[in-house]
Amino acid sequence: MGKITIEPLSRLEGHGKVTIILDESGKPVDVKLHITAIRGFEQFVVGRPAEEVPRIVPRICGICQTPHHLASVKAVDAAWDVEIPDTAKKLRELMLLGNMIHSHALHFYYLAAPDFILGPDADPKVRNIVGIIEKSPEVAKKAIALRKFGQSIVEKVGGKPIHPVTGIPGGISTTLSEESRDAFLKEIDTMIEYAKEGVELIKSLNEQYINMVKSLGVIDTWYLGIVKDGKHSFYDGVLRFLSPDGSEKVEFPFSEYQDYIGEHIVSHSYVKYPYYKKVGYPEGIYRVGPLAMMNVCDSIPTPLAEEARKEFIDMFGSPANQSLAYHHARLIEILASCERIKELLEDNEITSTDIRAEVEPKAGSGVGVVEAPRGVLIHHYETDENGIVIKANMIVASTHNVPTMEKAIQQAAIEVFKK
């Protein structure tokens, strides 16, 4: 028997390690993914006025702070039975899309692309964004431009580039000026072109590494994502589960998530292991995020991203079960985000000053859900008659994925140790 420990895990947002147990012949017999950090925000927010919570929970994640801000304020809206103005909803969606572009570009171009563009056999010292700048400077420049554009939107609409503050119960605290709207419109067609080039880049990389893409981390799981009228949606809609073979679709409103999602506990990790309740654990573990979104939606509402989604399905099948196909799906979502931002900016209502409804703190229970860059993000609060949080539950995007990440690592370890 032997044991391999990989610690710390790099290129991720958090702390973790992997342990691989080997038998006498050197074959892996058990693999564990350990999430070694505990955050405790479900307790931190108890006792706080609910209107403060959207400014507290972005500290859960330095990358996905905007989705936490928005899921949180949606949960407070729901707890206090507030219907926000359409412009406020569109500005919140715009903020979310800015973060989606910023985070997806980071994830692919900075964290994943070095292994593909420089090659998995290249010296680890050069497999990073600096290596990308040296080998493919045009790719690096466009990646930086996409991130800058997305972050500028978050800063303008969210009040700060990191840890936004403008989402408030009942709407949003700032308007978008015509001057700012016009400035973003001048850039958006260029960003769409960069996003299209990103999709072409991943298609060429998939062809180059097709054997790896179609063999490592290939697992059958359930999938969960947000759809609106069956279409891909980042901000609004319902949750949809898709079965591993694609034959079964189950939709339910955000408010009923506890009827469908269970939370299992394991001894080797601080993170909870969510699963689809009606199937049970572990058979009901599922994936969220870009890959899941390509699988669960019937279509993407914007034309270029929809064309790219169809090509994706042709390449990987439906549902796609290749973990490395996440990168391709992620780049399609950058394109979808850019196209949707253009639609929002061209909507005259986006500069309206009707951005906030009257709100009265009250006793209630509310669920807020958005699609974060890593997948479905759920915030659920209960408040007392003074609007103080008395109970909170959060299932963050990476948490949904941990059980299936562990399963994918187990499969990949078996493949790697065959060689």
Side-chain angles (χ1 to χ4, degrees):
M1 296 286 282
K3 180 179 179 181
I4 297 173
T5 301
I6 304 171
E7 186 182 24
L9 293 181
S10 58
R11 301 192 196 174
L12 51 74
E13 300 106 21
H15 302 280
K17 69 176 181 178
V18 171
T19 55
I20 304 172
I21 305 298
L22 308 173
D23 65 14
E24 287 76 6
S25 66
K27 293 180 180 177
V29 293
D30 191 22
V31 179
K32 290 285 190 296
L33 171 62
H34 309 260
I35 304 302
T36 57
I38 185 167
R39 297 205 164 103
F41 277 82
E42 290 170 334
Q43 289 302 310
F44 292 162
V45 301
V46 171
R48 308 295 301 186
E51 64 266 29
E52 291 184 359
V53 177
R55 299 193 299 275
I56 296 172
V57 293
R59 272 70 182 176
I60 292 173
C61 177
I63 306 296
C64 297
Q65 8 80 27
T66 303
H68 280 291
H69 179 61
L70 295 173
S72 176
V73 77
K74 287 180 73 175
V76 180
D77 288 339
W80 294 351
D81 297 323
V82 184
E83 186 63 34
I84 71 171
D86 286 345
T87 297
K89 191 178 295 183
K90 290 172 184 176
L91 286 171
R92 288 183 184 180
E93 182 183 0
L94 183 61
M95 191 195 316
L96 179 64
L97 294 171
N99 178 257
M100 191 66 68
I101 294 172
H102 178 259
S103 180
H104 274 358
L106 167 72
H107 197 133
F108 177 70
Y109 291 104
Y110 287 60
L111 303 182
D115 288 337
F116 292 97
I117 292 177
L118 296 153
D121 296 325
D123 186 338
K125 292 179 181 176
V126 302
R127 276 191 279 138
N128 50 49
I129 186 61
V130 176
I132 296 284
I133 292 171
E134 291 178 350
K135 183 168 183 178
S136 301
E138 286 305 310
V139 170
K141 285 167 60 177
K142 291 168 184 175
I144 292 169
L146 282 165
R147 294 196 70 213
K148 179 176 182 293
F149 179 76
Q151 195 74 327
S152 297
I153 287 180
V154 175
E155 181 175 17
K156 185 62 65 178
V157 182
K160 295 169 67 178
I162 298 174
H163 301 146
V165 294
T166 57
I168 54 175
I172 194 164
S173 64
T174 188
T175 58
L176 182 68
S177 69
E178 292 185 1
E179 182 183 14
S180 296
R181 185 268 316 273
D182 293 345
F184 288 130
L185 273 173
K186 284 182 181 177
E187 292 187 83
I188 190 59
D189 285 337
T190 300
M191 295 303 115
I192 290 173
E193 284 303 311
Y194 289 174
K196 286 168 59 180
E197 291 177 22
V199 173
E200 292 304 312
L201 173 63
I202 191 64
K203 285 162 60 178
S204 67
L205 292 172
N206 283 337
E207 290 177 4
Q208 186 177 351
Y209 296 104
I210 193 64
N211 291 336
M212 184 185 301
V213 171
K214 293 197 171 183
S215 61
L216 291 182
V218 178
I219 55 173
D220 288 325
T221 68
W222 286 76
Y223 301 92
L224 178 69
I226 300 175
V227 293
K228 188 174 185 179
D229 299 325
K231 297 180 180 178
H232 181 288
S233 176
F234 291 115
Y235 184 78
D236 232 344
V238 297
L239 288 167
R240 176 187 277 183
F241 268 120
L242 181 73
S243 61
D245 63 1
S247 64
E248 185 178 353
K249 296 175 182 177
V250 181
E251 290 186 2
F252 52 99
F254 298 157
S255 59
E256 296 179 8
Y257 81 97
Q258 288 180 315
D259 293 335
Y260 293 84
I261 298 175
E263 299 180 14
H264 182 72
I265 302 298
V266 298
S267 60
H268 62 274
S269 180
Y270 282 121
V271 75
K272 47 196 175 186
Y273 276 42
Y275 62 96
Y276 178 31
K277 263 186 177 178
K278 295 188 177 178
V279 176
Y281 181 86
E283 291 80 7
I285 62 173
Y286 57 87
R287 285 186 271 190
V288 299
L291 179 72
M293 288 291 276
M294 293 301 117
N295 286 332
V296 303
C297 76
D298 301 327
S299 63
I300 297 177
T302 54
L304 296 174
E306 171 59 7
E307 183 180 341
R309 187 194 68 87
K310 290 178 178 175
E311 292 178 346
F312 175 89
I313 295 299
D314 288 343
M315 179 174 291
F316 296 108
S318 180
N321 63 357
Q322 303 86 357
S323 296
L324 288 175
Y326 263 101
H327 301 312
H328 193 149
R330 188 167 286 113
L331 289 162
I332 293 173
E333 286 200 335
I334 292 179
L335 181 55
S337 298
C338 289
E339 288 186 288
R340 178 57 181 153
I341 284 174
K342 185 175 183 179
E343 290 179 348
L344 289 168
L345 294 174
E346 290 178 339
D347 184 338
N348 289 333
E349 202 173 40
I350 201 72
T351 56
S352 168
T353 57
D354 181 18
I355 55 173
R356 186 177 186 185
E358 291 294 323
V359 178
E360 286 292 333
K362 54 179 277 190
S365 176
V367 178
V369 178
V370 298
E371 187 72 19
R374 250 57 71 195
V376 173
L377 171 63
I378 300 172
H379 281 239
H380 180 190
Y381 311 141
E382 292 182 22
T383 59
D384 67 12
E385 66 277 11
N386 296 313
I388 304 297
V389 176
I390 55 176
K391 188 176 181 181
N393 189 46
M394 304 168 197
I395 308 179
V396 306
S398 297
T399 297
H400 294 284
N401 277 328
V402 165
T404 51
M405 287 164 59
E406 188 170 73
K407 184 175 179 179
I409 295 170
Q410 291 168 352
Q411 188 274 345
I414 292 170
E415 286 294 316
V416 169
F417 278 80
K418 281 181 182 175
K419 300 175 181 176

